[in-house]
């Protein structure tokens, strides 16, 4: 069986740095604000190649977001860079009151999201950022699945007038999209057709979901649809309902807490519109820890094999 997943892998940071430099060069209003993590997030490409558009804000995330709000009121489009854990928890008051409420044109890049943060420790991991940001009125929340989609999402955010949170990961992931792919706000993408169950996934978990779906088809003869949801807010509720009508069984998958993220958003939609069996794959209600990637995926039950198990579980409820 031909796989959907490309053998080539790229880090989301590579697509991000290339696009950020280009936007800063093409648009005089685009500035980068960095929370002293440029070498990790790759925002330092602007510091190295277009330094007049780079503002080093230091380890002071609250101040960085307040400064971004002020700059946005002058017509500048600030792109703020930090780890997802720091944006979503240290500076959330400034983001809500000074950026989201007045709907200012500030872009927020949450790097090192999820569990796999290169052994940086649990203080640097973020399993709550989607839940936090999707509760804010006027906020757009996006979680691209590969480096190509990161580029397309950033191009969209550049044209969009309002606050946008983009969740990106540290490590390399398989290429899912080609250069012709077009990102549409609030729209899901069907990566694989299927009839028995649907996996709705986002961000880094999408490539793992494709791997799980292909394994189920090849080894078990189970036909699984994979629906990638890069736009978590606004959410493609129409695609969710259609998937429920088509397969009658839904698994959600995300590298995020099982509480308040994509799984919650999908379940909320289905409860109101089309109740069907749902199993959510995500980190259970527990604290994380630092460790090697494969061990972390297995311990916190979000590996491709856990997605496989979730599909088998939901089919029993169908």
């Amino acid at each position: 069986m031909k796989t959907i997943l490309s053998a080539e892998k790229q880090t989301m940071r590579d697509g991000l740095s290339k696009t950020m430099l280009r936007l800063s060069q093409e648009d005089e209003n685009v500035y980068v604000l960095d929370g002293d993590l440029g070498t990790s997030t790759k925002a330092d490409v602007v510091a190295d190649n277009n330094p007049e558009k780079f503002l080093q804000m230091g380890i002071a995330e609250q101040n960085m977001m307040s400064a971004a709000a002020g700059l946005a009121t002058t017509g500048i489009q600030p792109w703020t860079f930090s780890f997802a854990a720091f944006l979503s928890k240290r500076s959330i008051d400034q983001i809500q009151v000074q950026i989201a409420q007045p709907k200012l044109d500030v872009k927020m890049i949450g790097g090192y999201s999820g569990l796999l943060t290169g052994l940086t420790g649990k203080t640097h991991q973020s399993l709550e950022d989607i839940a936090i940001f999707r509760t804010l009125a006027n906020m757009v929340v996006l979680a691209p699945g590969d480096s190509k989609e990161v580029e397309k999402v950033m191009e969209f955010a550049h044209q969009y007038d309002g606050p946008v949170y983009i969740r990106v990961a540290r490590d390399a992931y398989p290429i899912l999209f080609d250069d012709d792919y077009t990102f549409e706000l609030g729209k899901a993408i069907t990566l694989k057709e299927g009839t028995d169950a649907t996996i709705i996934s986002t961000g880094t978990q999408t490539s793992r979901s494709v791997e799980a779906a292909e394994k189920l088809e090849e080894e078990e003869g189970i036909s699984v649809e994979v629906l990638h949801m890069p736009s978590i807010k606004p959410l493609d509720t129409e695609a969710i309902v259609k998937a429920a009508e088509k397969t009658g069984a839904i698994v959600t998958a995300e590298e995020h807490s099982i509480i308040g993220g994509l799984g919650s958003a999908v379940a909320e939609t289905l409860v109101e519109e089309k109740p069907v069996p749902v199993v959510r794959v995500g980190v259970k209600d527990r604290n994380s820890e630092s460790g090697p990637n494969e061990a972390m995926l297995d311990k916190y039950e979000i590996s491709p094999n856990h997605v496989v198990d979730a599909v088998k579980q939901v089919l029993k409820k169908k």
Side-chain angles (χ1 to χ4, degrees), residues 142-219:
L142 308 175
D146 71 357
S147 64
K148 297 288 186 183
E149 192 170 36
V150 168
E151 297 176 24
K152 301 297 184 178
V153 160
M154 292 178 70
E155 290 168 359
F156 155 78
H158 177 234
Q159 298 298 323
Y160 178 81
D161 185 14
V164 179
Y165 174 68
I166 303 174
R167 184 184 213 244
V168 297
R170 176 187 184 275
D171 292 336
Y173 287 86
I175 300 298
L176 295 167
F177 303 100
D178 57 29
D179 292 333
D180 295 329
Y181 166 69
T182 300
F183 169 80
E184 293 184 64
L185 181 65
K187 294 296 180 182
I189 303 101
T190 300
L191 293 178
K192 182 182 178 299
E193 297 286 350
T195 56
D196 295 326
T198 300
I199 303 171
I200 301 177
S201 60
T202 193
T204 55
Q205 201 68 8
T206 290
S207 56
R208 299 181 195 120
S209 296
V210 170
E211 182 180 340
E214 292 179 343
K215 182 176 182 179
L216 282 162
E217 185 169 339
E218 184 175 0
E219 298 180 4

Side-chain angles (χ1 to χ4, degrees), residues 182-314:
T182 300
F183 169 80
E184 293 184 64
L185 181 65
K187 294 296 180 182
I189 303 101
T190 300
L191 293 178
K192 182 182 178 299
E193 297 286 350
T195 56
D196 295 326
T198 300
I199 303 171
I200 301 177
S201 60
T202 193
T204 55
Q205 201 68 8
T206 290
S207 56
R208 299 181 195 120
S209 296
V210 170
E211 182 180 340
E214 292 179 343
K215 182 176 182 179
L216 282 162
E217 185 169 339
E218 184 175 0
E219 298 180 4
E220 307 280 349
I222 299 172
S223 175
V224 181
E225 178 181 55
V226 178
L227 197 63
H228 173 53
M229 194 73 70
S231 179
I232 300 169
K233 187 183 180 185
L235 190 69
D236 193 344
T237 56
E238 181 179 351
I240 294 169
V241 172
K242 285 184 177 180
E245 292 172 343
K246 177 182 177 181
T247 67
I250 303 293
V251 168
T252 64
E254 59 196 312
E255 192 179 328
H256 183 272
S257 170
I258 204 168
I259 300 170
L262 174 70
S264 293
V266 170
E268 290 159 11
T269 298
L270 293 174
V271 164
E272 293 182 348
E273 303 292 339
K274 182 68 178 179
V276 297
V278 177
V279 173
R280 294 171 296 152
V281 175
V283 177
K284 305 299 192 294
D285 187 19
R286 59 197 291 199
N287 291 315
S288 59
E289 61 191 290
S290 187
N293 285 0
E294 294 305 316
M296 295 287 281
L297 292 176
D298 187 58
K299 180 168 184 174
Y300 291 94
E301 303 176 50
I302 60 171
S303 71
N305 286 337
H306 287 96
V307 179
V308 166
D309 292 342
V311 171
K312 293 179 179 179
Q313 181 182 348
V314 81

Side-chain angles (χ1 to χ4, degrees), residues 6-20:
S6 170
E8 178 187 3
K9 291 185 177 183
Q10 292 181 5
T11 70
M12 293 184 182
R13 296 180 293 169
D14 289 337
L16 185 151
S17 61
K18 176 175 63 176
T19 307
M20 193 69 259

